[in-house]
């Protein structure tokens, strides 16, 4: 028995046979110079575009207060936003410092195998874990973050290693790591900043050694950089590091990187583009991109005060996925675990719901390309994906037409060149009555189909 489809969500509907050549094969074996001109010429490893869907995991000491945002320390100590100041006054003694949250970050119930099984069930093809956020706490035993890492403080465990092993042993997902270049309150960064970044003490003694340590020890196939602190890429020596990553590192053939490698590099240099958080342009871009977004509309980290309406519904998440993939992007969907290492029920439910949808409809998502039209000009909320090798186009619709019939304006049927084709036993082209779609949800073969 095939899994039952989730009602009210998108269904791959239209399959057209098109006589178009497949894309050219990828080329490799290039060496890259430490310049953006050279690095930007590197072809993105094919697996990333084929994957389409990944899971972002924001976890760190900010998960202990679990209030407002993962930027809790900054909002409380630097910006002194009233609600954060009041939260601390109401719940902690006056002498309490942010560093005192470290021992409370216990990860007591963290089970990497359980996490891996949930991520596998979600249908995602890669994960990205925050190895270090702007607070500076590392989820591995960094040699360059003395007494502010997960081995020395809090969990007393190598979180990165445990999750890496579980992902690689139990799933078919790629393992990725997020890393913040800067740290809000690190004295060396603040000193460098005071010199307009003419001094480079922080990247030389902290950032770059940790990046090499992460890549050599854990071999992430996604390296998701963030947090330039207003410093240019020359300060971070980003091009020098990336040249090593692409030429010499143990993941040189498969690693993908983003575009956050210094002030001014975003949406301009690097591997895939992110452009901004929750970036979803709604149209085709000439460069591979990723929509990193959150299930919790207001925060990347876990929030104890979040209400049910603060979380995106599965329908809203599927819409994000479909729109993103149709326009050539990947969706990186974020969850925030609790301080003790559990994935809350609402996050787990959304992940499993997405997995159920992808079990039925993944053929129209994974390993697809953009078509000549991303969405339909006649019926709103119809999005297209394309498999050139198979000569197939998928039309994915997100809501029932008010007329009860679905009319598509973009497909152009040509006698002798376009054929109807079955999609898992369903034969329909261009026009589908609502009752037929309801039957498909039940897993039944339906008809008739009519051309318009």
């Amino acid at each position: 028995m095939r899994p039952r489809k989730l009602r009210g969500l998108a269904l791959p509907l239209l399959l057209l046979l098109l006589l178009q050549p497949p894309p050219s094969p990828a080329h490799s074996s290039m060496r890259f110079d430490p310049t953006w001109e050279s690095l930007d010429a590197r072809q993105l490893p094919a697996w990333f575009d084929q994957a389409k869907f990944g899971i972002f995991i924001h976890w760190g000491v900010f998960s202990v207060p679990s209030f407002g945002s993962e930027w809790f320390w900054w909002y409380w100590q630097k910006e002194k936003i009233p609600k954060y100041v009041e939260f601390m006054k109401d719940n902690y003694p006056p002498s309490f410092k942010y560093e005192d949250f470290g021992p409370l970050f216990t990860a007591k119930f963290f089970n990497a195998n359980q996490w891996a099984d949930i991520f596998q069930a979600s249908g995602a093809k890669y994960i990205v874990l925050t190895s270090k956020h702007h607070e500076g706490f590392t989820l591995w035993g960094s040699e360059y973050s003395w007494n502010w890492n997960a081995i020395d403080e809090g969990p007393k465990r190598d979180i990165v290693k445990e999750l890496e092993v579980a992902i690689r042993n139990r799933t078919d997902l790629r393992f990725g790591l997020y890393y913040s270049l800067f740290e809000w309150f690190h004295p060396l960064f603040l000193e460098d900043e005071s010199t307009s970044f003419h001094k480079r003490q922080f990247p030389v003694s902290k950032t770059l050694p940790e990046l090499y340590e992460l890549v050599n020890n854990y071999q992430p196939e996604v390296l998701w950089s963030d947090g330039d602190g207003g410093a240019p890429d020359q300060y971070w020596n980003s091009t020098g590091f990336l040249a090593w990553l692409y030429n010499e590192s143990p993941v040189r053939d498969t690693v993908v990187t983003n575009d956050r490698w210094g002030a001014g590099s975003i949406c301009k240099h690097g591997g895939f583009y992110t452009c901004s958080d929750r970036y979803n342009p709604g149209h085709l871009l000439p460069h591979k991109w990723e929509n990193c977004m959150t299930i919790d509309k207001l925060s990347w980290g876990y929030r104890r005060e979040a209400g049910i309406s603060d979380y995106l519904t599965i329908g809203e998440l599927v819409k994000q996925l479909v729109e993103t993939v149709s326009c050539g992007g990947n969706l990186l969907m974020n969850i925030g675990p609790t301080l003790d290492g559990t994935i809350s029920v609402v996050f787990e439910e959304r992940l499993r719901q997405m997995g159920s949808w992808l079990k039925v409809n993944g053929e129209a998502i994974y390993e697809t390309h953009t078509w000549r039209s991303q969405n339909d000009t006649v019926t709103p909320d119809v999005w297209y994906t394309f498999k050139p090798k198979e000569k197939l186009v998928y039309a994915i619709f997100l809501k029932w037409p008010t007329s009860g019939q679905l009319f598509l304006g973009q497909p152009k049927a040509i006698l002798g060149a376009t054929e109807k084709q079955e999609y898992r036993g369903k034969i329909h082209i261009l026009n589908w009555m609502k009752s037929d779609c309801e039957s498909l949800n039940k897993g039944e073969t339906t008809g008739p189909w009519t051309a318009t």
Side-chain angles (χ1 to χ4, degrees):
M1 293 290 290
R2 287 176 36 235
R4 184 171 177 174
K5 299 192 178 185
L6 298 177
R7 290 183 176 275
L9 303 180
L11 302 174
L13 173 67
L14 183 69
L15 298 161
L16 300 179
L17 295 176
L18 301 178
L19 301 176
Q20 295 191 18
S24 301
H27 299 283
S28 58
S29 301
M30 286 183 62
R31 283 196 64 85
F32 302 94
D33 298 324
T35 65
W36 284 125
E37 182 181 9
S38 178
L39 297 168
D40 290 345
R42 179 183 185 252
Q43 191 168 29
L44 205 66
W47 75 261
F48 184 74
D49 180 58
Q50 294 168 358
K52 305 303 182 187
F53 176 45
I55 302 298
F56 216 169
I57 309 152
H58 271 67
W59 199 32
V61 172
F62 52 79
S63 305
V64 178
S66 55
F67 177 82
S69 168
E70 73 288 346
W71 279 53
F72 183 93
W73 194 2
W74 181 265
Y75 292 154
W76 168 41
Q77 293 285 351
K78 182 66 175 180
E79 295 193 8
K80 301 188 186 302
I81 294 175
K83 78 172 187 177
Y84 293 88
V85 174
E86 291 301 318
F87 174 84
M88 291 304 297
K89 284 182 179 179
D90 292 343
N91 295 284
Y92 298 92
S95 60
F96 196 94
K97 298 179 176 61
Y98 189 82
E99 292 89 335
D100 296 327
F101 284 126
L104 304 178
F105 179 50
T106 63
K108 182 178 180 180
F109 300 117
F110 170 59
N111 184 325
N113 289 339
Q114 185 181 57
W115 281 28
D117 293 346
I118 293 171
F119 298 150
Q120 179 75 46
S122 76
K125 297 301 182 183
Y126 61 101
I127 67 156
V128 179
L129 171 70
T130 53
S131 67
K132 186 196 78 169
H133 201 256
H134 312 323
E135 66 188 12
F137 188 91
T138 67
L139 295 187
W140 81 101
S142 168
E143 295 182 12
Y144 309 94
S145 187
W146 179 79
N147 214 34
W148 193 235
N149 66 74
I151 295 290
D152 295 336
E153 191 76 278
K156 305 293 180 68
R157 301 162 64 178
D158 189 337
I159 299 296
V160 174
K161 174 55 72 175
E162 289 185 34
L163 189 57
E164 179 218 346
V165 170
I167 290 294
R168 289 182 166 144
N169 287 348
R170 299 175 69 88
T171 78
D172 59 2
L173 281 72
R174 307 270 181 158
F175 181 72
L177 293 172
Y178 164 109
Y179 180 85
S180 173
L181 298 176
F182 90 128
E183 296 171 23
W184 287 315
F185 302 112
H186 196 290
L188 291 181
F189 177 78
L190 296 177
E191 186 177 340
D192 288 354
E193 185 181 39
S194 71
T195 69
S196 298
F197 302 114
H198 292 300
K199 285 187 176 181
R200 298 184 59 249
Q201 302 171 91
F202 183 71
V204 169
S205 63
K206 184 69 159 66
T207 301
L208 290 167
E210 285 190 337
L211 282 170
Y212 288 114
E213 187 178 56
L214 275 177
V215 173
N216 283 319
N217 291 348
Y218 305 104
Q219 301 187 17
E221 293 184 275
V222 182
L223 190 57
W224 216 99
S225 177
D226 192 25
D228 58 48
D233 66 83
Q234 295 89 342
Y235 170 78
W236 301 110
N237 191 27
S238 297
T239 55
F241 171 75
L242 289 173
W244 170 82
L245 184 70
Y246 296 163
N247 292 327
E248 309 294 341
S249 80
V251 289
R252 58 188 176 274
D253 294 328
T254 58
V255 70
V256 296
T257 62
N258 64 342
D259 55 352
R260 303 186 183 195
W261 292 99
S265 72
I266 193 168
C267 220
K268 184 178 179 181
H269 295 300
F272 58 89
Y273 290 172
T274 62
C275 299
S276 66
D277 292 349
R278 304 176 180 85
Y279 184 68
N280 188 11
H283 59 81
L284 184 63
L285 296 183
H287 193 93
K288 182 63 187 180
W289 60 282
E290 182 183 69
N291 174 6
C292 62
M293 46 74 67
T294 61
I295 297 176
D296 179 345
K297 302 172 190 176
L298 303 178
S299 175
W300 299 81
Y302 177 73
R303 292 187 306 131
R304 287 179 287 178
E305 81 277 19
I308 191 64
S309 62
D310 292 332
Y311 297 101
L312 293 174
T313 66
I314 184 57
E316 291 169 326
L317 293 170
V318 167
K319 186 175 189 292
Q320 288 263 337
L321 176 65
V322 170
E323 291 177 357
T324 297
V325 172
S326 295
C327 295
N330 280 19
L331 186 74
L332 186 63
M333 189 172 79
N334 179 74
I335 63 168
T338 66
L339 68 92
D340 54 15
T342 60
I343 296 173
S344 66
V345 172
V346 67
F347 287 133
E348 181 176 350
E349 180 186 53
R350 294 294 185 273
L351 293 175
R352 292 187 182 278
Q353 286 175 323
M354 185 67 87
S356 295
W357 187 86
L358 283 166
K359 279 183 180 178
V360 176
N361 304 295
E363 183 178 327
I365 299 296
Y366 303 125
E367 301 183 21
T368 60
H369 297 256
T370 56
W371 194 41
R372 59 177 170 78
S373 295
Q374 280 63 65
N375 56 348
D376 200 69
T377 53
V378 172
T379 302
D381 285 324
V382 175
W383 297 84
Y384 295 102
T385 60
F386 177 40
K387 286 188 173 177
K389 185 177 180 181
E390 294 82 357
K391 301 172 185 175
L392 299 176
V393 170
Y394 300 84
I396 308 171
F397 67 95
L398 299 172
K399 61 182 180 182
W400 301 118
T402 55
S403 66
Q405 292 183 318
L406 181 66
F407 296 91
L408 301 178
Q410 282 305 310
K412 307 299 181 186
I414 302 172
L415 186 63
T418 304
E419 301 176 14
K420 61 181 171 61
Q421 179 164 325
E422 291 190 2
Y423 179 72
R424 297 187 180 183
K426 285 75 184 176
I427 307 176
H428 300 283
I429 287 186
L430 304 180
N431 182 347
W432 195 322
M433 298 297 293
K434 179 178 178 181
S435 60
D436 289 334
C437 293
E438 288 175 338
S439 296
L440 188 145
N441 271 336
K442 299 173 184 176
E444 299 170 1
T445 302
T446 57
W449 57 271
T450 59
T452 58

